[in-house]
Amino acid sequence: MRLRNVTGCREVIAASRYVIQEERQPDCPGNWKEIFGNDRPVHIEIGMGKGRFIHTMAKEHPRINYVGIEKYSAVLLRAVQKMEQEELPNLKFLRMDAEEITKVFGPGEVDRIYLNFSDPWPKDRHAKRRLPSREFLARYAVILKKDGRLEFKTDNRELFDFAVGELAPAGWTAEVITYDLHGDAELMKENVMTEYEEKFSAMGNPICKYIIFRGGPNRCTSTV
Ligand code: SAM
């Protein structure tokens, strides 16, 4: 994502009631029920960008709590602005690097994780920074509920092949793998488009997706 320095974005985010501020983040683990004021499931998107996906999901599923995580203030600003236009009680934001994810969610506190069009980090020496890498899967394994699911979509075939290759060594199993999400009528029934998905599918790029869980036998229902 091309980042422009947006004047005043840090101040807007620091003043936003939709964002859990950095100084409050250490209090988050074990306290998400209090933060949302209910004990509904918690779904998170890591690397949410401008937040279209998670805002739509929160609107469509008011009985699920959503947390959008984004590293850069200039990008998070767009998601905050969307909330100012249409406030949703079941959506919060964290500005942070996902490397620290186990510091904001306690063990088993998350019911579902979404990774959408994650940055590819094409150089081998940066593989650990890829959000579907085994290093990140180990972090997700801590915060995800025992039977929780992680969904990942991308148009980047190299990144997707890498991500699929990380599953067995990291102890995860694919429930669904498709190399053409938009050609799968069943999976598309529930699909909510992200900003990147709209852009790259319009260019004719096939969208890959997997849904994975920790451990277990291989119950893959591939739709290659
Ligand atoms: N998910 C959105 C979509 O599909 O339209 C945005 C995709 S964009 C390519 C990837 C986003 O992930 C960027 O906004 C980037 O800042 C964010 N990101 C990358 N690495 C991250 C990390 N370690 N922690 C939090 N956010 C991250």
Side-chain angles (χ1 to χ4, degrees):
M1 178 174 289
R2 211 154 51 94
L3 285 176
R4 274 183 303 125
N5 191 19
V6 180
T7 314
C9 66
R10 281 173 206 276
E11 290 74 14
V12 171
I13 285 164
S16 173
R17 64 182 187 282
Y18 310 126
V19 180
I20 297 171
Q21 302 298 332
E22 241 163 284
E23 62 275 13
R24 280 191 53 216
Q25 290 179 5
D27 301 330
C28 289
N31 286 318
W32 286 96
K33 289 183 177 53
E34 285 70 33
I35 292 167
F36 281 107
N38 60 57
D39 61 358
R40 293 175 185 155
V42 174
H43 294 191
I44 69 174
E45 184 187 9
I46 301 177
M48 69 166 176
K50 297 176 190 168
R52 170 172 155 182
F53 171 84
I54 200 155
H55 195 278
T56 308
M57 291 293 279
K59 200 170 150 180
E60 288 184 0
H61 306 281
R63 299 188 67 80
I64 293 174
N65 296 322
Y66 289 89
V67 183
I69 296 161
E70 172 53 49
K71 195 166 163 180
Y72 295 108
S73 304
V75 187
L76 173 58
L77 177 68
R78 304 298 173 208
V80 167
Q81 289 170 334
K82 216 170 290 202
M83 275 282 266
E84 282 163 358
Q85 283 161 15
E86 190 176 11
E87 192 173 328
L88 300 171
N90 59 330
L91 176 57
K92 304 273 182 212
F93 302 122
L94 289 167
R95 197 211 56 76
M96 62 176 287
D97 189 321
E99 282 190 16
E100 308 288 332
I101 197 85
T102 56
K103 293 186 182 162
V104 290
F105 295 100
E109 223 175 357
V110 173
D111 295 81
R112 191 167 286 250
I113 298 173
Y114 294 100
L115 305 177
N116 291 317
F117 295 79
S118 306
D119 292 335
W121 292 105
K123 292 187 178 139
D124 284 348
R125 69 173 190 276
H126 292 147
K128 283 184 189 172
R129 296 185 191 173
R130 297 172 191 154
L131 293 180
S133 67
R134 66 188 72 183
E135 288 80 6
F136 272 99
L137 289 175
R139 296 177 182 114
Y140 307 148
V142 175
I143 64 169
L144 193 63
K145 206 158 267 175
K146 192 165 163 275
D147 291 324
R149 296 292 190 266
L150 184 154
E151 302 194 10
F152 169 50
K153 32 182 193 178
T154 182
D155 68 316
N156 186 317
R157 182 61 191 262
E158 277 185 19
L159 178 64
F160 191 69
D161 289 343
F162 164 83
V164 170
E166 293 292 87
L167 298 182
W172 292 67
T173 300
E175 183 176 49
V176 171
I177 296 182
T178 178
Y179 294 88
D180 182 16
L181 172 64
H182 290 201
D184 186 316
E186 200 52 42
L187 288 176
M188 282 305 281
K189 275 185 198 163
E190 301 276 298
N191 192 55
V192 168
M193 293 264 256
T194 79
E195 276 101 353
Y196 272 63
E197 184 172 357
E198 185 166 88
K199 182 173 159 192
F200 291 117
S201 60
M203 287 163 64
N205 297 3
I207 307 300
C208 304
K209 174 173 178 167
Y210 72 38
I211 304 175
I212 61 170
F213 59 93
R214 271 185 299 147
N218 200 332
R219 288 193 270 128
C220 176
T221 53
S222 174
T223 59
V224 179

